[in-house]
Each structure stands twice: as C-alpha cells, then as structure tokens.
Amino acid sequence: MAKFDLVKFGPFRLNRLAAEVSAALSSEYQARYGLDIPEWRVIATLGFRNDACSAQYIAHCTRTHKSTISRAVTALMTRDLIERVENADDRREFRLRLTRQGHALYEELIPRLLRKEREILSCLSAQERKDFAGLLGKIEASLELVQTSKAASETEAY
Amino acid sequence: MAKFDLVKFGPFRLNRLAAEVSAALSSEYQARYGLDIPEWRVIATLGFRNDACSAQYIAHCTRTHKSTISRAVTALMTRDLIERVENADDRREFRLRLTRQGHALYEELIPRLLRKEREILSCLSAQERKDFAGLLGKIEASLELVQTSKAASETEAY
DNA sequence: TTTAGATGGTTGCAAATGAGACTATCTTAA
DNA sequence: TTAAGATAGTCTCATTTGCAACCATCTAAA
C-alpha cells in the first residue's frame, strides 16, 4: 500500500495554512472595516502604487479574476473609498485611485495587518523568517508566480 | 506613507501559492478522475487510515465543513467509491470506508500526486525541502493547526 | 476605409461552499 | 425514568466566485 498521509501532504498543508492565515487577518479588514478579500486587494494595490492604474492591472498582479475585481471596484466606489476617471488615451479603461477616505483607511489598516503578520511569524527566528521568505520566493519563481526582471519589463505597461 | 507591497505580503503570497499548487494538482484528481477537492480529501483520509471512520472525523482532520463532507460522501457513494455501514454502538454516525474500486482509485492516484508534488518542489534542494517543511510545521504548530501529542491524545477518539 | 481580431470592463448564470436549522440519537444528571 | 443538553449527519438558504457572453473601443492589416 502506498505510504501517504494527507495531513503531511505539502499542497494540503499549504491550503490549510493559507486559509488559517487569511481567517486571522480577515478579523482586521473584514470585521473592522467591512472589506472582503477582493476589496482589500484593490485598496492595497492602489495604496502601494500611489498613481492610478486600471482594473485589469489589479486583476493581473493580484491574480484575481477580472469579474471579481470589477465587483469589488463597484462596491468601493459606492463607499467613496476609490474613484475612477476616464482614460482619454483608451476609452475602454478607467484609471482607478484611492479617494482621501480610501487613503486614510489604507494608512490605518496597513500597520494592523503588518502587526498581525509579525504575530503569526513570531514563532520563527529572524533568520528563519528570512529563509522562509526565500524558499517561498523560489517556489513562486519556478511556478512563474512572480515576474522575473525580463518578464516584468515585457509587461511594464500594466 | 506606510511602506507596503501586497505582492510581498506573506499572507497574500501564501494564498496565491496555495491556489496555484491546488490548480496544478487538480488536473490529476479533477480532470482525470472527476473528483473535486472535498471528494479527494475523503478518499485520501479513508485510504490513509485503512480502518473505517466517521464523516465527522474526516471533517475534523481535513478542516473541512461537515456539510461539505456530507455532500462529498453522498457523491462518492453513488459512484461506489466508498460505502458506509451503521455503527451499532452509536446509531447517529456511520462508519465510512473505501470500496474495492475506491481503493484502486486511491492506489492509482497517490503516486501521481506525489510525483506532482515532487515536480513542484524540484526547484528546491533536498536540504531546502526539509527546511521548508520544518518551517511550515513551526507555523502550523503556533497556529495550532497540528495536534500536539497532548492534544492528539485528548482527541484520539476521532 | 473597412474589417477582423484583441482587449477593458460588466453582467447573468451556475457551481461550490459555509452557516445554521433540523432530526435522530446519545449522555448526563436530577 | 425523564428532561436537558450535546453530537452526527442532512438539508435549505445565502454568499461568493469563476466562466462566458456581451458591449464598447482599440489595433492592425487588407
């Protein structure tokens, strides 16, 4: 019989861990600010790059389906957390950016999330945290989840 | 302004990686055997412990909602991959186990999944794989995702 | 210029899933 | 023995999300 234990199976562990970590963080953006995950991703992307960008770009770099992003954008606009302006160069797309309130929420939320992350990783030493990030990076790279410098330049239009 | 990059944020990376790995594996159990994730978890749990166990037990150790497991069990029974027998000691619960066909599927699927997992981790050296598993284990333990020996003995009735 | 195909974004639909009500059964204590 | 509460499993409902069709617009090539 094949020796196999689901509970020791890497992919399963990864899923379970990701779900658990998400749940831990959602108490911040969900319960506290009424944002769901896609909405949080939009806010985070816009907050990080402080210039405006398209919905497509957000979908791309967060690996979230464009319809999901579209719905999140609609919800955030009705709450006046983001705004969009037409792009004169290409009237199919909109430039999205945080409103003043959206930016305030972003600035308030980020430290909380970083603190949570630190809490979760506090079981590791500084060196271990570094190693973990490095190993994650290697796996991501081999799955082409992160843009190599070459790929990044090819897609820099985003 | 807070320095923050969603794409470098641990929890986000974890989610993205887990989703990608799941997608890579689903081509095996999904496309090839028509199993969805909950169904696969039931098969895997029953296959690993080759004695019968309850649906509740599967829900518990795979961290899947009991209604999701219930549906998976129903689907697998209609496909004759698992069977259930009444438990005379407690007539609320059923003992589940793989049928001959279910076991055959299990034995066929496991090597494929392990091969996929190896493929995904082939970007790491043997030592790195070991380190990665160890670090995952530490984080899981601190989130109490794995049973400590004490907790395990308390819940061994499952 | 016209036409074919690509792309940004929205929306309807269907599948998946968690929450929680519900039934049946078990356990414990009065 | 009876009653109160816990537990296993099923089912209905609401939410979430991916898919795919769709519209508007852009691009490229005939």
Side-chain angles (χ1 to χ4, degrees):
Chain A
M1 165 184 160
K3 179 184 162 304
F4 179 78
D5 185 351
L6 181 63
V7 170
K8 294 195 176 69
F9 187 48
F12 171 73
R13 292 172 68 186
L14 222 47
N15 257 293
R16 198 181 49 175
L17 182 60
E20 200 75 9
V21 169
S22 284
L25 289 185
S26 79
S27 61
E28 295 297 338
Y29 51 72
Q30 235 292 323
R32 193 168 189 98
Y33 296 98
L35 299 174
D36 62 21
I37 291 181
E39 287 164 9
W40 150 243
R41 288 182 179 173
V42 171
I43 297 270
T45 306
L46 293 178
F48 174 61
R49 315 169 27 96
N50 47 7
D51 57 326
C53 63
S54 70
Q56 201 69 227
Y57 170 80
I58 300 174
H60 221 264
C61 76
T62 65
R63 305 231 155 195
T64 308
H65 197 274
K66 63 177 183 170
S67 62
T68 304
I69 295 296
S70 173
R71 286 183 266 255
V73 163
T74 303
L76 292 172
M77 283 200 304
T78 67
R79 290 178 61 187
D80 281 322
L81 292 172
I82 67 175
E83 60 190 359
R84 65 180 193 186
V85 295
E86 288 207 0
N87 180 356
D89 293 339
D90 185 340
R91 280 164 40 233
R92 289 172 304 180
E93 80 173 30
F94 300 94
R95 314 295 295 172
L96 302 169
R97 63 167 173 243
L98 296 178
T99 60
R100 173 181 299 277
Q101 301 146 64
H103 202 263
L105 184 152
Y106 174 80
E107 293 290 351
E108 202 178 313
L109 183 50
I110 292 300
R112 292 183 179 280
L113 290 175
L114 290 174
R115 193 177 323 129
K116 270 277 187 208
E117 185 192 21
R118 268 199 307 278
E119 257 176 59
I120 291 168
L121 292 178
S122 66
C123 62
L124 303 182
S125 71
Q127 182 60 47
E128 285 173 329
R129 280 196 288 275
K130 206 171 161 186
D131 291 346
F132 187 64
L135 293 171
L136 267 187
K138 275 202 176 188
I139 302 173
E140 286 169 347
S142 91
L143 290 173
E144 294 177 340
L145 282 179
V146 285
Q147 302 184 330
T148 61
S149 54
K150 176 169 171 297
S153 65
E154 282 168 357
T155 53
E156 72 186 3
Y158 283 106
Chain B
M1 167 185 159
K3 180 185 164 300
F4 178 79
D5 184 351
L6 181 63
V7 170
K8 294 194 176 72
F9 187 47
F12 170 72
R13 292 171 69 188
L14 222 48
N15 257 294
R16 198 180 49 176
L17 182 59
E20 200 76 10
V21 169
S22 284
L25 291 185
S26 79
S27 61
E28 295 296 339
Y29 52 74
Q30 235 290 326
R32 194 167 188 99
Y33 296 98
L35 299 175
D36 61 21
I37 291 181
E39 286 164 9
W40 150 242
R41 288 182 178 173
V42 171
I43 297 271
T45 306
L46 293 178
F48 173 60
R49 315 168 28 94
N50 46 7
D51 58 326
C53 62
S54 70
Q56 202 66 227
Y57 170 80
I58 299 174
H60 222 264
C61 76
T62 65
R63 306 230 154 195
T64 308
H65 196 276
K66 63 177 182 169
S67 61
T68 304
I69 296 296
S70 174
R71 286 184 267 256
V73 164
T74 303
L76 292 171
M77 282 198 307
T78 67
R79 290 177 61 188
D80 280 324
L81 292 172
I82 67 174
E83 60 190 359
R84 66 179 192 184
V85 294
E86 288 206 359
N87 180 356
D89 292 340
D90 184 341
R91 279 164 40 234
R92 289 173 305 181
E93 79 173 30
F94 300 95
R95 313 294 297 171
L96 302 168
R97 64 167 172 243
L98 295 178
T99 59
R100 173 180 299 277
Q101 301 147 66
H103 203 264
L105 185 154
Y106 174 80
E107 294 290 352
E108 201 178 314
L109 184 49
I110 292 301
R112 293 183 177 279
L113 291 175
L114 291 174
R115 193 178 321 130
K116 269 278 185 203
E117 186 192 22
R118 269 200 306 279
E119 257 175 59
I120 291 169
L121 292 178
S122 67
C123 61
L124 303 182
S125 71
Q127 183 59 47
E128 285 174 330
R129 280 195 288 277
K130 206 172 162 187
D131 292 345
F132 187 63
L135 293 171
L136 267 188
K138 276 202 175 187
I139 302 173
E140 287 169 347
S142 91
L143 290 174
E144 295 176 337
L145 282 179
V146 285
Q147 301 185 326
T148 62
S149 53
K150 177 169 171 295
S153 65
E154 282 167 357
T155 53
E156 71 186 2
Y158 283 106

